[in-house]
Amino acid sequence: METRSERQVMKTQVLVLGGGAGGVGAAISAAREGAETILVDRQGFLGGNMTIGLPLLAFLDAQGRQVTRGLPQEIVDRLIELGGSFGHRECPLHNSTTVIDPNLMKIVIFEKIKQYGVRPLLHCEIIGTNVENGELKSVILKGKGKEIEIFADVFVDATGDGDVAFMAGAEYEKGQYANGETQPPTLMFTVGGFNLERFMDFLEEHPEELKHGTSMKIRPGYTADFLRASENHVFVGLKNTITKLRKEGKCPIDRDTIIYINLPREGYIALNCIRILNFDGTKIEELSRGEIESNLQIIPLINMLKENIPGFEHIYLSSIAPFLGIRETRRILGKQMIREEAAVNGVIPEDTIALGSYIIDIHSGSGDSTLIRSLTGPYGITYGATISKDVKRLMLSGRCISVDPVVFGSSRVMPTCMAVGEGVGIGAALAVQQNRAPEDVDVQSIRQKLREYGAILSLEDDNVVKA
Ligand SMILES: Cc1cc2nc3c(=O)[nH]c(=O)nc-3n(C[C@H](O)[C@H](O)[C@H](O)COP(=O)(O)OP(=O)(O)OC[C@H]3O[C@@H](n4cnc5c(N)ncnc54)[C@H](O)[C@@H]3O)c2cc1C
């Protein structure tokens, strides 16, 4: 009996690898500019972490100004039309919350990639790269037992983990500079049967449950009244109760607070609470450990909430996210790197392709705490931070762009990843049209197009609006 080995060869202008926030942004944007674009993902759907119950954070900056718009806004607008989002709301803790329905997000992304002519290749794992003289020539995928080799003019690594850059030999960093620790992963899950009013009554009686540790400096106003005033909220708290339950051995999770996202479906919340410590999301054994340990924490966690927290008495498991959410792995070194000093001082250079404004939010990789640092205003993510310094024709989008570990605590949020992707997609398409390397494209022409699509690139832009 002979074994079978089938191989298919394809060619495209722009090949985007990974269909999360960064990849969807880049692929739609490249196709919108007229580039023939393929978008690859290992899942049977697109959206990555945008489909696991998380809210889109920080469309607005700490002063309530909208600093991310363009394509990310177009997606939110469609979600609003479908009843899958309430839009943006200022939040003293997160700058702003944009709660979304994860199922509708999948549908909206499919609508948009059809509308703009992106060709999706789903159910494909990226398994290799072909690099000649430092230039990426093709990427190899495997799906249904067959190999597909895709040649492209420009490649965009939007795998989150920087898998393509890693395979192609690009230099990268991983974890905090001090100890190499990466932020822990979380398996998201949703519950139904949540009684919001009852929980809000409890918080009103126990305002101390909304007090956060000294490492979590948040602006005043994060109160029960603020949460009750709108369904568009993300709750972070219950520190006293969780501390007590952990001392009594009744809490299954390694963190000091509970986070829930109030989904746009009455009685449904998504829980962002599980934390797997000392974890490396680039190792398959670790991913397996993380998936199993996380799943096994869900029922004890639900029972703990049911038995101890008013409003949670009747919750039941509704859905478990299709994969463990990985916060942090590799950051690929680009032609430029966005560093802490520039971000905290709100530096917005002339070659900025997206603004970041989310707080610096670093979940401990080995303990129960979270370090939060506010930013006074937005900072610029420059085009050079999205181009691999080592591998020609390779661009980066999403969380694996070239930032230091502190800036990563901010730039990792999904609206920023999508906005970066929008700039990368235009850069990739112009590189193809002008037969140039991505780094040789005039950044001002990318910025002009971004502005035409409604993106916000500086605080002086006429279009910076108070939401
Ligand atoms: C638990 C958790 C909570 C978070 N909370 C928030 C929040 O509240 N709000 C917020 O805005 N951000 C939040 N973030 C951050 C944010 O979700 C991510 O940083 C962001 O989604 C990264 O986008 P990305 O496109 O780079 O990666 P992803 O969204 O991870 O997308 C990567 C895509 O690439 C595909 N892929 C990866 N490797 C391969 C491969 N080898 N072959 C084929 N396909 C591959 C994956 O299937 C996936 O679809 C959170 C992250 C986590 C994990």
Side-chain angles (χ1 to χ4, degrees):
M1 199 168 56
E2 264 185 47
T3 56
R4 294 190 183 91
S5 145
E6 272 185 41
R7 200 153 211 273
Q8 189 183 348
V9 175
M10 294 169 75
K11 164 98 185 80
T12 186
Q13 290 178 324
V14 177
L15 178 59
V16 180
L17 298 136
V24 162
I28 292 178
S29 165
R32 189 176 59 184
E33 289 313 300
E36 189 191 2
T37 305
I38 292 180
L39 174 59
V40 171
D41 206 283
R42 60 157 72 108
Q43 306 288 349
F45 56 88
L46 294 167
N49 282 349
M50 295 198 290
T51 67
I52 63 176
L54 294 168
L56 304 176
L57 297 180
F59 267 89
L60 314 186
D61 76 355
Q63 291 161 52
R65 295 169 296 197
Q66 181 153 7
V67 293
T68 301
R69 209 166 51 186
L71 180 58
Q73 182 64 50
E74 184 180 324
I75 288 180
V76 171
D77 287 344
R78 179 64 182 140
L79 281 166
I80 294 171
E81 263 173 36
L82 296 174
S85 172
F86 308 110
H88 318 308
R89 177 183 187 226
E90 277 187 65
C91 171
L93 176 49
H94 301 96
N95 287 3
S96 70
T97 52
T98 308
V99 165
I100 54 168
D101 180 310
N103 295 316
L104 289 174
M105 180 57 110
K106 287 185 190 166
I107 293 172
V108 167
I109 293 171
F110 277 140
E111 281 181 0
K112 291 286 167 196
I113 64 153
K114 263 193 109 170
Q115 176 186 341
Y116 289 107
V118 175
R119 180 171 174 195
L121 280 185
L122 303 179
H123 297 289
C124 287
E125 180 77 23
I126 303 153
I127 59 161
T129 57
N130 168 15
V131 180
E132 283 173 25
N133 301 321
E135 185 170 297
L136 184 55
K137 296 282 184 192
S138 65
V139 167
I140 300 150
L141 317 174
K142 189 133 200 169
K144 296 300 291 171
K146 294 175 196 157
E147 270 187 24
I148 308 176
E149 180 169 15
I150 311 185
F151 290 81
D153 298 322
V154 179
F155 299 83
V156 180
D157 185 342
T159 56
D161 299 323
D163 284 356
V164 179
F166 170 76
M167 286 186 261
E171 204 183 329
Y172 66 89
E173 292 181 344
K174 204 160 106 180
Q176 294 297 314
Y177 288 151
N179 52 18
E181 246 177 54
T182 52
Q183 298 193 42
T186 294
L187 182 64
M188 295 291 296
F189 64 96
T190 60
V191 297
F194 175 60
N195 188 328
L196 181 62
E197 283 307 311
R198 194 162 151 66
F199 182 55
M200 290 301 133
D201 291 345
F202 166 76
L203 286 182
E204 246 159 40
E205 284 160 30
H206 297 276
E208 71 281 3
E209 291 289 12
L210 274 164
K211 287 221 172 71
H212 297 86
T214 44
S215 71
M216 274 185 98
K217 292 213 165 49
I218 60 174
R219 285 178 282 140
Y222 193 70
T223 60
D225 280 349
F226 167 79
L227 296 171
R228 199 197 283 273
S230 169
E231 291 159 88
N232 185 356
H233 70 248
V234 175
F235 170 81
V236 185
L238 287 175
K239 194 167 170 153
N240 284 7
T241 303
I242 297 300
T243 306
K244 178 175 152 286
L245 291 170
R246 285 179 80 194
K247 275 195 195 130
E248 292 167 2
K250 292 181 186 157
C251 174
I253 51 167
D254 279 319
R255 59 167 300 142
D256 58 2
T257 45
I258 292 291
I259 305 180
Y260 79 69
I261 295 103
N262 196 53
L263 294 174
R265 292 276 168 271
E266 208 185 323
Y268 284 89
I269 54 175
L271 286 148
N272 175 354
C273 299
I274 289 169
R275 185 176 272 194
I276 304 295
L277 298 179
N278 306 312
F279 180 86
D280 181 345
T282 63
K283 294 199 173 119
I284 214 76
E285 303 90 332
E286 285 287 276
L287 289 167
S288 309
R289 169 176 81 93
E291 296 281 3
I292 295 166
E293 282 185 16
S294 303
N295 270 278
L296 297 182
Q297 287 179 26
I298 291 175
I299 291 173
L301 180 54
I302 289 180
N303 288 340
M304 180 198 84
L305 293 168
K306 278 168 85 116
E307 285 160 21
N308 294 283
I309 320 283
F312 287 77
E313 295 91 340
H314 302 295
I315 60 169
Y316 55 89
L317 179 61
S318 169
S319 67
I320 302 177
F323 52 81
L324 183 65
I326 306 298
R327 281 196 179 79
E328 181 174 13
T329 49
R330 306 181 188 101
R331 302 179 305 275
I332 309 303
L333 299 195
K335 301 246 176 226
Q336 296 171 346
M337 183 190 274
I338 316 299
R339 295 184 189 276
E340 176 180 356
E341 209 194 338
V344 296
N345 290 314
V347 176
I348 304 177
E350 273 306 296
D351 51 351
T352 290
I353 57 162
L355 296 179
S357 72
Y358 184 54
I359 53 177
I360 289 164
D361 176 357
I362 304 176
H363 295 236
S364 168
S366 60
D368 61 4
S369 62
T370 304
L371 181 111
I372 299 282
R373 230 168 111 189
S374 310
L375 298 176
T376 46
Y379 57 92
I381 297 176
T382 55
Y383 186 55
T386 68
I387 300 174
S388 161
K389 77 174 179 61
D390 302 309
V391 180
K392 291 187 197 123
R393 297 171 186 244
L394 178 60
M395 301 184 75
L396 314 163
S397 185
R399 71 173 159 88
C400 67
I401 60 168
S402 185
V403 293
D404 76 17
V406 174
V407 178
F408 177 84
S410 160
S411 62
R412 66 192 181 91
V413 287
M414 297 179 285
T416 309
C417 287
M418 252 192 293
V420 165
E422 187 171 16
V424 167
I426 295 174
L430 290 181
V432 170
Q433 284 154 17
Q434 299 168 1
N435 198 19
R436 291 171 187 220
E439 58 267 38
D440 295 332
V441 172
D442 171 24
V443 186
Q444 295 314 318
S445 57
I446 300 174
R447 285 161 55 89
Q448 191 184 329
K449 281 185 183 286
L450 280 169
R451 284 194 165 112
E452 285 165 15
Y453 292 117
I456 297 169
L457 301 177
S458 89
L459 281 177
E460 284 76 49
D461 276 9
D462 287 337
N463 52 14
V464 173
V465 286
K466 176 91 185 150

